[in-house]
Amino acid sequence: QIFTCTKTLGEYHILDAPGVPIDAAGTYDLAGMQVEIVDPISDYAGLMETLFDFDAIRSLFNNGFRMRFDAMHAVTGPYAHEILENRLGAAAGSVVNGTPSPDFGGGHPDPNPIWAKDLMAAMHGPDAPDFGAASDGDGDRNMIVGRDCYVSPSDSLAVLADLAHLAPGYAGGLAGVARSMPTSCAVDRVASAKGIACFETPTGWKFFGNLLDAGQVTLCGEESAGTGSSHVREKDGLWAVLLWLNILAQTGKSVASLMADHWARYGRNYYSRHDY
């Protein structure tokens, strides 16, 4: 219908009007058209509070739990500052590289051990933070690291599927899970044990979207570090970090202990992605 409409257009007009200040919430009128500027950080933080036990995570930080979140000079920086430091009480400085930059601070905002090598180095040794994470340029992918413990994206998906019920938003269990074809079968083992459906899809989030729309899955992920759920019908890097924090708060265990427990119960799928 849109294409058909384009074939009938003979001209278009541009409104010469003062610019709308997009950095401040408010409602503006442009030639009779109402333009509303919203605060996406506040809206997103409010949604996260409905899914996760912020009080439990806040207690975790109050008891000395330390984390490092590398926003990689990308879009999640302001969100992480507001949620992790302001609302949850993580120590100031827990969010690093939190100011978005057009050239990502001269780096490459891909959350993997190669491009987030500063985070990997910081997570090594007895004085390292308890938990580390990074997100990518548009904020939809994530990397999870514990002290001396890197969590592969495939294993992260499996752990989240196993323990998502510890977060209020998923306390009723999962309708099903899905993974991309290149992702390891670790989450398949979890789904089998829980008696829920597990779908293998071609690469591409649109295939997950179909399953989410149909209510057949609640959680999905891919080997490239994208993880998401039915809360936005997309992958969501900071959401995955908060779900990990909720699980750590409820179990009282370290990342390494959680991984050891997981492998002891389900077996271990060895998997690595290599980019050429």
Side-chain angles (χ1 to χ4, degrees):
Q1 289 177 333
I2 293 173
F3 176 63
T4 299
C5 183
T6 66
K7 294 190 292 185
T8 68
L9 294 176
E11 62 182 17
Y12 64 89
H13 300 264
I14 298 175
L15 175 66
D16 183 10
V20 174
I22 63 171
D23 56 352
T27 302
Y28 306 90
D29 183 85
L30 290 180
M33 179 178 69
Q34 190 176 78
V35 177
E36 182 182 2
I37 306 300
V38 301
D39 179 357
I41 296 174
S42 177
D43 287 352
Y44 180 82
L47 173 60
M48 294 302 104
E49 286 197 75
T50 69
L51 298 175
F52 303 117
D53 188 341
F54 272 31
D55 288 337
I57 301 173
R58 201 173 288 116
S59 295
L60 188 69
F61 286 121
N62 288 340
N63 290 327
F65 183 90
R66 295 183 299 130
M67 79 169 290
R68 181 183 178 96
F69 179 86
D70 191 341
M72 306 190 84
H73 295 289
V75 73
T76 52
Y79 293 82
H81 277 300
E82 173 61 23
I83 296 174
L84 298 175
E85 294 182 351
N86 295 346
R87 300 199 183 196
L88 293 174
S94 295
V95 177
V96 299
N97 300 322
T99 301
S101 165
D103 67 348
F104 305 110
H108 184 65
D110 196 334
N112 63 48
I114 300 300
W115 293 108
K117 56 183 180 294
D118 290 345
L119 173 63
M120 296 299 294
M123 294 304 299
H124 178 68
D127 295 326
D130 301 285
F131 181 67
S135 191
D136 70 329
D138 58 355
D140 61 359
R141 295 187 293 125
N142 68 93
M143 181 175 78
I144 302 297
V145 192
R147 183 182 296 151
D148 295 322
C149 178
Y150 167 70
V151 181
S152 77
S154 297
D155 276 347
S156 178
L157 174 63
V159 170
L160 295 183
D162 184 37
L163 301 176
H165 64 275
L166 297 178
Y170 306 92
L174 308 177
V177 294
R179 62 169 177 83
S180 62
M181 178 276 293
T183 304
S184 89
C185 296
V187 73
D188 302 46
R189 296 171 178 263
V190 174
S192 177
K194 290 183 173 294
I196 60 176
C198 180
F199 298 86
E200 180 185 81
T201 74
T203 297
W205 205 265
K206 62 184 179 181
F207 300 106
F208 292 143
N210 294 337
L211 293 166
L212 291 165
D213 284 346
Q216 296 193 61
V217 302
T218 309
L219 207 70
C220 40
E222 54 193 10
E223 96 295 339
S224 57
T227 323
S229 88
S230 53
H231 72 291
V232 291
R233 194 190 177 273
E234 246 293 0
K235 45 192 162 184
D236 184 346
L238 192 49
W239 164 89
V241 172
L242 291 169
L243 181 49
W244 263 97
L245 285 171
N246 202 146
I247 290 169
L248 291 167
Q250 292 295 344
T251 61
K253 296 181 178 180
S254 67
V255 173
S257 293
L258 280 176
M259 295 313 306
D261 289 350
H262 185 86
W263 295 325
R265 281 182 292 145
Y266 294 106
R268 185 170 185 178
N269 292 68
Y270 287 90
Y271 176 88
S272 181
R273 164 178 160 148
H274 296 267
D275 292 338
Y276 296 92

